[in-house]
């Protein structure tokens, strides 16, 4: 790899030296008898037709990109605000595509039409107020509409009414993993600080805060469909970005501060798996995996397991060497299934007390071990009741 980079640098330096030599030669035109560097009508015609060829390449490659890689575009949004985000994106892309197509054609057409010809002099005028007004006012209006629509959409997404019923969840980012914390019955997340990180308390939850006692730290995210989820995000080390593409949600996780994002899931995991677009994507992925598995089996290695779609929480900032491994599974389910799952999760207060409970060797004194186990269970039950 290093050899390739060195070769690339040498080639680029050679190109730069060649370009500098051409520039020097051009500066000498008129001082020497050799005028071979002056463009002729033939040269101008060639460059004019090359301009047409290049604009044709742009259009052909654009169409090819839509056909070849269009399947990578995310399909049905899985959140309530997702449709607004997709609409804004589609409108922006349509305007960009129209303007790009028109301006690129005009640019290359004029380069051909007004190419240099021997004896022809260009008409020069200093300004044209009407033209300048047109190409200034139209972009201003279009951009103003897009910005206002974007601000309206953003405010709709980010606004959380204090009296609104929401589920409070914390996303905690660190190199290179995610953890999540759910508020308990009080629906209030306890205070936290990196200074409190110790042993099983990997999120630095302040255990002296009464609101922390019923919080639950989990290894995967479960969300009830149709309920508003209010995410609060922290980072332990560097800048991360909580990215949930199918929910059209992304927010930076910044060390030393808490950022927020809220949305309402509208499609369960099972429903998203059943959409036509997702079934087609999964089928395509599994065909690739099956082909790869044949090669692995031939080498005596285990075959790849079939791919099954799941929502994922990803990091969308290049946060280090294992950035690509930083993901957490998200399951969207019915409210009943969500409540059942949450009820089964252990509170952080119980987890901390169990971790700090005295360790007894059952082989040394079985009677003492029974007393410790029984007392731990009683303590856990008391904490759970609180």
């Amino acid at each position: 790899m290093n050899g390739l980079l060195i070769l690339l640098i040498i080639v680029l330096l050679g190109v730069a030296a060649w370009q500098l030599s051409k520039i020097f030669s051009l500066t000498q035109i008129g001082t020497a008898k050799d005028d071979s560097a002056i463009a002729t009508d033939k040269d101008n015609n060639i460059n004019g037709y090359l301009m047409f060829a290049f604009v044709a390449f742009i259009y052909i490659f654009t169409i090819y990109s839509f056909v070849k890689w269009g399947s990578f575009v995310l399909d049905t949004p899985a959140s309530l605000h997702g449709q607004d985000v997709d609409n804004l994106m589609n409108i922006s892309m349509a305007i960009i595509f129209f303007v790009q197509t028109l301006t690129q054609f005009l640019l290359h057409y004029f380069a051909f039409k007004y190419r240099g010809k021997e004896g022809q002099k260009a008409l020069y005028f200093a300004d044209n107020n009407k033209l300048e007004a047109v190409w200034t006012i139209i972009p201003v209006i279009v951009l103003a509409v897009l910005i206002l629509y974007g601000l309206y959409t953003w405010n709709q997404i980010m606004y959380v009414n204090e009296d609104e019923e929401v589920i409070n969840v914390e996303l905690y980012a660190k190199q290179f993993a995610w953890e999540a914390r759910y508020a308990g019955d009080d629906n209030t997340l306890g205070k936290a600080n990196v200074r409190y990180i110790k042993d099983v308390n990997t999120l630095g939850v302040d255990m002296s805060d009464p609101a922390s006692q019923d919080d639950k730290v989990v290894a995967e995210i479960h969300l009830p469909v149709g309920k508003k989820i209010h995410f609060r995000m922290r980072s332990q080390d560097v800048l991360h970005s909580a990215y949930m593409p199918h929910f059209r949600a992304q927010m930076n996780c910044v060390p030393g501060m808490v950022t927020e994002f809220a949305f309402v899931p509208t499609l369960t995991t099972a429903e998203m798996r059943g959409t036509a677009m997702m079934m087609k994507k999964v089928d395509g992925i599994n065909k690739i995996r099956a082909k790869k598995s044949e090669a692995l089996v031939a080498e005596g290695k285990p075959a790849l397991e079939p791919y099954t779609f799941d929502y994922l929480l990803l990091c969308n900032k290049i946060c280090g060497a294992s950035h690509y491994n930083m993901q957490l599974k998200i399951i969207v389910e019915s409210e009943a299934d969500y409540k059942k799952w949450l009820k089964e999760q252990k509170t952080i207060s119980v987890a901390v007390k169990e971790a700090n409970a005295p360790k007894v060797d059952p082989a040394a004194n079985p009677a003492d071990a029974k007393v410790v186990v029984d007392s731990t269970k009683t303590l856990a039950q008391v904490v759970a009741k609180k």
Side-chain angles (χ1 to χ4, degrees), residues 39 41-52 111-112 115:
D41 284 349
K42 182 180 178 181
D43 296 329
N44 291 328
N45 287 333
I46 291 172
N47 280 291
Y49 286 111
L50 285 175
M51 283 289 185
F52 266 137
F112 170 77
R115 64 193 183 279

Side-chain angles (χ1 to χ4, degrees), residues 136-151:
T136 300
I137 293 172
I138 292 178
V140 166
I141 293 173
V142 172
L143 288 175
V145 171
L146 286 176
I147 291 170
L148 290 173
Y149 182 32
L151 286 173

Side-chain angles (χ1 to χ4, degrees), residues 34 55 105 122 131 159 203 213 230 261 300 326:
D34 183 16
V55 77
F105 175 79
L131 278 177
Y159 179 71
L203 273 69
Q213 303 307 307
H230 188 189
F261 199 100
M326 194 167 167

Side-chain angles (χ1 to χ4, degrees), residues 244-289:
M244 294 168 272
H246 292 91
F247 301 106
R248 309 300 192 261
Q250 178 174 320
M251 179 59 68
N252 285 347
C253 305
V254 185
M257 67 182 293
V258 177
T259 53
E260 300 175 275
F261 199 100
F263 65 80
V264 179
T266 55
L267 290 175
T268 65
T269 300
E271 288 171 339
M272 180 58 82
R273 287 173 179 171
T275 61
M277 185 77 167
M278 189 55 64
M279 292 174 68
K280 183 179 179 181
K281 285 186 178 181
V282 171
D283 182 60
I285 292 171
N286 282 328
K287 285 179 180 177
I288 296 172
R289 293 173 76 87

